[in-house]
Each structure stands twice: as structure tokens, then as C-alpha cells.
Amino acid sequence: MASTGSTGSTFPKWQLAVLIGAPVALGIGYLYWKKSTEAEEGSGDKLTKKKLGEIKDKTISLDGDERSRSLQDAPAKKKAPTPLEEAQKHKNEGNTYFRDGKYDQAIKEYDLAIEKCPQTEINDLSTFYQNRAAAYEHLQKWAAVIEDCSKALECNPKYLKALKRRAKAYEQQKELAASLEDTTAACILEGFQNKHTLVLADRVLKELGKQHAQEALKEKHNVQPSKFFVKNYFSSYSDDPIKKMVFASTEPKGFVKAKLLLDQGQYEGIIAACTEEIETSEADAEYKIEALLLRATFYLLTASYPEATADLEAVIGSELADKKIRSNALIKRASLAMQTQPNTPEECFRYFSMAEDLDPKNSDIYHHRGQVYILIERLEEAIADFEKACSLCPSSGIIEIHRCYASYRLALNNKDEFALRKVMDGFRNAIERFPDCVECYSLMAQVLSDQQEFQEADNFYNKATKIEPENAQIFVHKALLQLQWNADIQAAVELIEKAIQIDDKCEFAYETLGTIQVQRGQLQEAIKLFDSAIKLAKTEMELIHLYSLKDAAIAQVNVTKSMGLDIRNLVGMPQF
């Protein structure tokens, strides 16, 4: 399981970017979408991801029609046609057949055009190959499309239509890396201005990211989170039955040993100690159910999801177990369902309902379900759950500040200025009531940043770091604030590097610094940073996202190298 580390949430960062307003890039978006939207600002037709998603692929047209008309309109010549003129005649006839949907006849004419054309006339040859590729495309002969587009590009390496047509053919053949390189080249040549090419780039990139993520999952090792991460995870539960247990033993073993290790922050041996308890004979295993729950929790934290699922289901199915143990297991099972099946939250809510039926006065149920409601934009239900959680556990600053944040989001969506002012008062009241709760300061800072109150936001981040100087996530958010506020790239890099020094397992820091390096044109360094984040990722969705960022950077390295370009000089690329 993952967490922002600054909100006390059990949900992964790729989901909580929605909750906390973190400007996390989506796939190729941070590079491609950003350039396009910046280029169109002030034009009255600002490019948005929603608009891009609505754009359909257009058929790439034939070439040579303008020249065809000029030849047809030219006075008749008495002398014999030249080889090029003969080639043009066959191309024109091929175009006529093409427009009539007679693609086989068109291909025969393009064959003759290529045969007749002098090899020195490379621009004309490239057109003939591209047009024949267009006919093959309609016949869905993808290998032939790729071959002809490649020949066209040999004649004219910056032939946009051939690049885009070959990219689509590579996509059909599932050669996604090659497709992405061609699409990236087209984006560069178009200055990142063509919406249709951007749609193709985003589609291919997401599919390639998914492919790489699935391959990585087969060989992925368990992720060992940092001590701060584990501590922060447990702090998100106000009614945790394991946390409340107290033991004093000079020779601890099994679950008792695991609990003492948990209290001491020595997390590495917990799974083994729990396993010892679970495998002990029934007569001697006094805490088998508790051991299953604690082991499941650490399986979650190390991204061992099948093992976590088995242990949680065993606890849930134990009707003789204490209801606090079972309800805690149901909450974690719900969270696991949301992490692994984010597009189908029904399963997640089923486990929450089971927990509510079993233990209706458990504040953790409503707190964690409220976070899911925020993620899927059911804000009124989120607020209702947070209010229930607050009434059951009024001493929790984390719950109170999440209630404030949900209310803020709802007021923002409704454009309700009065409600917004009231919510901001609620944030300040929460900080007064819970002066030691770092989440209060962190979320307040993010809301202020959203409102462009940058100085005040920075002040709250500074207060948060004083409370938790070991919280690397806050330093990353401070870095993002510096970029938004002052465009101070150096300050941002220094803050993120400090975050990595504090916690070298902070995935968010590697990803954010990698994205900054992409913007600086330091692509090789960005790729290394994305690799570091990939090693720490815990879910398929996180991996897809990170591989998308990495694949976008790799494609640009390859394309700029082959085209002899400097990535820092591309259109829209900020210079630092």
C-alpha cells in the first residue's frame, strides 16, 4: 500500500493526487499536453485533456493532388513524356482509383509510378511510396504500410504523413515502442500543436505503459517501505485493535514478538514472527487471528497482494474473532480492492458495508470510505462519512482536516463563495484544535497553493516540516510550490533532493524530480529517476503511470538523437 505521507491516507499516491491536489503528470501529458495548452493560451480554444479525448483519428490524406491538377491543366506536349512525367501520370491514375475505393488498382498504378520514377527524384518517390502505403492501410496490410512508409522516410526523413501513417501501422502490429517513436517525431515536427497526433501519442503511450507494467509485475520483488511510511500508515487508523494491545515479555515469541517489534519500529522481522504464531499448533497459538491481521497488514505494505488477500479473508471469515479485528480486516480488504481494482469500486464498498454492519461505531470505516468517495467525486457522501467519523472520534485531527478538504472541494465545484469562506474558517479552526497534526498544515498549504496564496502556503509547509522533519513528502510539495510560485527550478530540485536524503524510498520524490528533469531536457537523468520510482511502485496503476513517463523520455532521447536535435531547443521546452 502507498500513501502521500502527508495526509495519513491508506490510498496510493496516484489516487491521492486527486485528493490533495498534487500536480502529478498523467502519462505523456506532462510533456505533450503541457506544451499544447501553453501554446494555445489566449487563442480562445484552450486545449484540454477532455477536448483531446473527444477528437477522433483522421484519415491521413494522399499527396500529389495539387501537382496532378497542374499537370492536367498544362498544354498538351508533342514530345514524348519524360520518365518522371510517366510516373506522375500513373500516380494521378492511382489517386483516382484510391478516391473511388479501388485500392488494388490504385496500388498497381503506384507500382508503375515507382518503377518509372528516376531514383534521383527522391521527393516524388517519397510521395509515391506514401500514397501506396495509404492504399495498403485501407486493405489493413500493416506490414506493407510499414515497409512503404519506411521507404518514403528514407527519401524524406521529415515526411509527417509517412511518420504518422507508420506510427498507426506499428500500433496495429503491437510494435508500440516503434509507434511511440514515430508519433514523438511527428509531435516534435509539428511543434506539439496537432491535436490528433497528441491523441495518438497519449493512446500509444498508455498502452505501452500497460504492457511494460504487466511485464514488470511478473518479476517484481516485494517493496520494503521506509519506517516513516509504516508509522504514517498506522497513524491513519484511530481504532486499530492491534495498535492498542500491550505486552511485557522478557522472552517474546510469535505474535507477542511481532507486536513488540511493531512498537519499536523494527518492522523487518514482523512477518516472520507472525508466521511463527500462525504455524504453531492450535493449542499453543493464542493470537493466531491477530497474527493473521498483522501479517496481512505488512503484506499490504510490501505490495504482496495475493498473500495479503488470503490472510485478510481468513480473518474476515473467522466468526469467533473479535469484531474489532474483523472490521479492521474488512477496511483493509476494501482499501486493497480499491488499489487493485480502481475502475470497479463496487467491491470496495461491499467490504465497507460489511464492516459497518459488523462494527457500526468504528470511526475508521467512515474515515477510509470517505476518502474513496472523494476519489470518485461523490463529495456529499464523503462529507457525510467524515462527519460520522468525527462524531465517533472527535480527537482525530486527520479525520477533521479530511472533512474540511471534502467540503472545500464541494464548495469549489459548486462555485459557492460563501461556502468557501466558511470552509477556510474550518481549516483554521482545525489547526487551532490540533496544533500537532501535520496533516492539518499540509492540506491547508495545498488548498492555499490552489488559491495562489503562495506565501501563506509556504508558511504552513514550514510549520509542517517543524512537526515532522522526517516527512519527505512535505519537501516534495514545497518544491512543487516553488515551481508554481516562483518558477524556481533550482530551489525545487534542492528540496526534492533533500526529500530523497530524508527518505530514499520516497517514490513521489523520484517521480517529481524525473518530471522536472524532462522539462529541463535532462532526459537520461529523468529515465534513471523514473527507474528508481518504478522499483518502489506497489500497484499496476502506479507502474503504468511511471512507465508512461519513462517511455515518453526514452522516445524523445531516440528521436532527437536520430533527427540531430537538441531536446532543450524544442518548441515549448522551458530553458533552465
Side-chain angles (χ1 to χ4, degrees), residues 270-531:
I270 287 178
I271 288 177
C274 288
T275 301
E276 178 187 352
E277 180 80 22
I278 293 163
E279 293 179 351
T280 302
S281 66
E282 290 291 336
D284 297 327
E286 185 179 357
Y287 301 105
K288 184 173 182 178
I289 295 297
E290 289 83 353
L292 280 166
L293 178 58
L294 185 56
R295 188 173 72 172
T297 303
F298 275 86
Y299 279 145
L300 284 174
L301 290 167
T302 56
S304 304
Y305 296 133
E307 293 87 349
T309 301
D311 279 359
L312 289 172
E313 292 291 350
V315 175
I316 292 166
S318 178
E319 296 184 1
L320 296 177
D322 181 270
K323 68 178 182 180
K324 291 292 183 186
I325 297 285
R326 292 176 67 201
S327 62
N328 187 270
L330 283 162
I331 296 166
K332 289 171 179 173
R333 186 67 184 85
S335 300
L336 176 57
M338 191 62 188
Q339 282 186 250
T340 56
Q341 304 169 56
N343 296 321
T344 55
E346 297 80 12
E347 186 74 354
C348 167
F349 287 123
R350 184 173 73 85
Y351 285 110
F352 276 126
S353 295
M354 291 170 64
E356 187 176 7
D357 291 339
L358 180 67
D359 189 16
K361 293 187 177 180
N362 185 338
S363 64
D364 291 334
I365 298 168
Y366 310 102
H367 178 201
H368 289 269
R369 189 170 64 186
Q371 291 181 49
V372 176
Y373 280 135
I374 286 184
L375 293 172
I376 61 176
E377 290 294 321
R378 290 164 60 174
L379 297 173
E380 291 179 351
E381 289 163 288
I383 293 167
D385 263 357
F386 287 137
E387 287 177 347
K388 183 70 177 288
C390 285
S391 68
L392 292 168
C393 186
S395 61
S396 172
I398 296 175
I399 298 173
E400 174 63 23
I401 206 67
H402 284 172
R403 184 189 66 79
C404 291
Y405 187 76
S407 300
Y408 168 76
R409 287 280 298 279
L410 182 62
L412 202 63
N413 288 354
N414 293 338
K415 299 180 180 179
D416 188 334
E417 291 293 333
F418 176 77
L420 277 173
R421 288 194 295 271
K422 186 176 179 181
V423 167
M424 295 310 294
D425 289 339
F427 272 104
R428 290 183 169 84
N429 289 336
I431 290 170
E432 288 181 12
R433 288 177 58 204
F434 306 103
D436 296 325
C437 178
V438 70
E439 287 80 5
C440 290
Y441 298 99
S442 181
L443 273 176
M444 177 65 158
Q446 289 169 58
V447 167
L448 289 167
S449 178
D450 187 44
Q451 297 177 348
Q452 298 190 338
E453 298 287 344
F454 300 126
Q455 182 62 68
E456 195 174 358
D458 193 48
N459 292 339
F460 277 103
Y461 278 134
N462 289 336
K463 291 175 182 177
T465 57
K466 286 180 181 178
I467 298 170
E468 282 187 358
E470 73 276 27
N471 189 330
Q473 302 282 356
I474 296 173
F475 287 93
V476 181
H477 285 297
K478 278 175 63 68
L480 292 168
L481 175 65
Q482 286 300 319
L483 290 174
Q484 188 181 2
W485 181 13
N486 301 314
D488 191 338
I489 187 70
Q490 190 57 42
V493 169
E494 289 174 1
L495 283 164
I496 298 174
E497 288 175 344
K498 183 174 183 178
I500 293 171
Q501 290 175 358
I502 291 169
D503 182 359
D504 63 0
K505 295 180 179 179
C506 181
E507 176 202 330
F508 188 26
Y510 292 112
E511 176 195 332
T512 306
L513 186 54
T515 305
I516 290 172
Q517 298 294 25
V518 167
Q519 291 294 299
R520 299 175 82 185
Q522 302 295 325
L523 296 177
Q524 295 290 0
E525 180 62 24
I527 291 166
K528 293 177 184 177
L529 289 161
F530 293 142
D531 276 333

Side-chain angles (χ1 to χ4, degrees), residues 543-570:
L543 285 168
I544 290 171
H545 169 66
L546 290 166
Y547 271 112
S548 294
L549 294 174
K550 178 184 174 182
D551 290 336
I554 290 173
Q556 287 189 86
V557 167
N558 294 339
V559 169
T560 52
K561 188 181 296 183
S562 65
M563 296 175 69
L565 300 174
D566 185 341
I567 187 67
R568 293 169 295 182
N569 295 330
L570 296 182

